[in-house]
Each structure stands twice: as structure tokens, then as C-alpha cells.
Amino acid sequence: METISSIAKRLNVTNGRIYQIIKEIPADKQPKKDAKGKYNFTKESVEAIEIYYNSVSSPKTDNESDLVKQLRADLEDAKAEIKAKNNQIDKFQQLLDQQQQLNLSTNRQNEKLLGTTTNNPLSQ
């Protein structure tokens, strides 16, 4: 004989979800309660629960796969953006190096000019 727990285990859902499904299926397919308030499941009521569960859970799987596809696309976009940012950082680093070399070269030229003017007796 079927129980709420055995059906829930087979469908990989909680007992509470089975109770929700029982309320959703047509009244003529719902299991009847005995004197103690426990459900007596017939073959038809178990099939109705399984059919309802499969019909409701199938679109969820499609939605989940769509969500996974969207997340993968977002991840690829993020990777491309990171790659572009890394390229920009590399270019800025090269420009900074060039600027430092130019400043060093200019400073050396200035020191040369200042050195020649102080060493030149005519300029004094």
C-alpha cells in the first residue's frame, strides 16, 4: 500500500508537496481518508498524483535549462569584458612606461644643459 512518504520519495519531493498536489488534482481522483485521517491511495489516485507532478514539473526543467543557458551567456560576456579590461590595463601600463622613459630622457637632457652652462666660463 502506498503512503505519502513512499510517493514523495519516488518523485523526489517533500511530503508537503504531495499534500499540495492532492489538493490540486480533481476530487474524483483524490485519495480518500480513513477513520484515522490517513489517506488510502488507490492506483488511480497515485497515477493522478504522478501525472499532475510530471505535467507541472516539466516546464520547470525547461525554465531551469533556459536559466542555465542565460547564465552561461552572461558568464561568456563577463569573460569577454574582463579580457577587454585586461587589454586596456596592458596598454595603459605601456603608456606609463613610455611616459616614464620620456621623463627620464628629458631630465637627463636638462641635466646636460645645466651642466654645460655651469661649466662654461663664458656664460658666467
Side-chain angles (χ1 to χ4, degrees):
M1 184 166 123
E2 292 281 354
T3 64
I4 293 280
S5 296
S6 66
I7 296 169
K9 189 173 184 178
R10 188 170 60 247
L11 297 178
N12 198 27
V13 296
T14 63
N15 291 359
R17 181 66 182 130
I18 298 301
Y19 285 109
Q20 290 173 343
I21 292 172
I22 289 171
K23 291 178 184 177
E24 296 295 324
I25 60 177
D28 62 323
K29 304 267 184 180
Q30 290 180 356
K32 306 298 181 227
K33 289 186 178 183
D34 63 12
K36 294 181 181 179
K38 291 188 176 187
Y39 284 110
N40 289 322
F41 292 97
T42 63
K43 185 178 178 181
E44 292 80 22
S45 62
V46 172
E47 286 176 0
I49 291 170
E50 290 173 347
I51 290 169
Y52 180 86
Y53 173 76
N54 290 331
S55 69
V56 170
S57 63
S58 292
K60 185 185 283 186
T61 305
D62 291 340
N63 288 341
E64 287 175 0
S65 65
D66 288 344
L67 179 61
V68 169
K69 287 178 187 176
Q70 182 63 44
L71 288 173
R72 287 178 197 234
D74 290 347
L75 179 62
E76 290 303 316
D77 290 345
K79 284 181 181 179
E81 189 174 333
I82 289 171
K83 188 175 181 179
K85 297 292 182 190
N86 284 341
N87 288 338
Q88 286 178 343
I89 290 170
D90 290 343
K91 280 188 176 185
F92 285 132
Q93 186 65 44
Q94 286 176 341
L95 290 172
L96 182 61
D97 288 345
Q98 289 174 356
Q99 181 184 10
Q100 288 174 343
Q101 290 174 3
L102 184 59
N103 282 341
L104 182 61
S105 175
T106 304
N107 286 343
R108 284 183 184 157
Q109 286 178 351
N110 288 342
E111 286 175 4
K112 252 187 197 177
L113 289 173
L114 288 173
T116 51
T117 10
T118 55
N119 291 338
N120 190 348
L122 295 175
S123 65
Q124 291 176 354

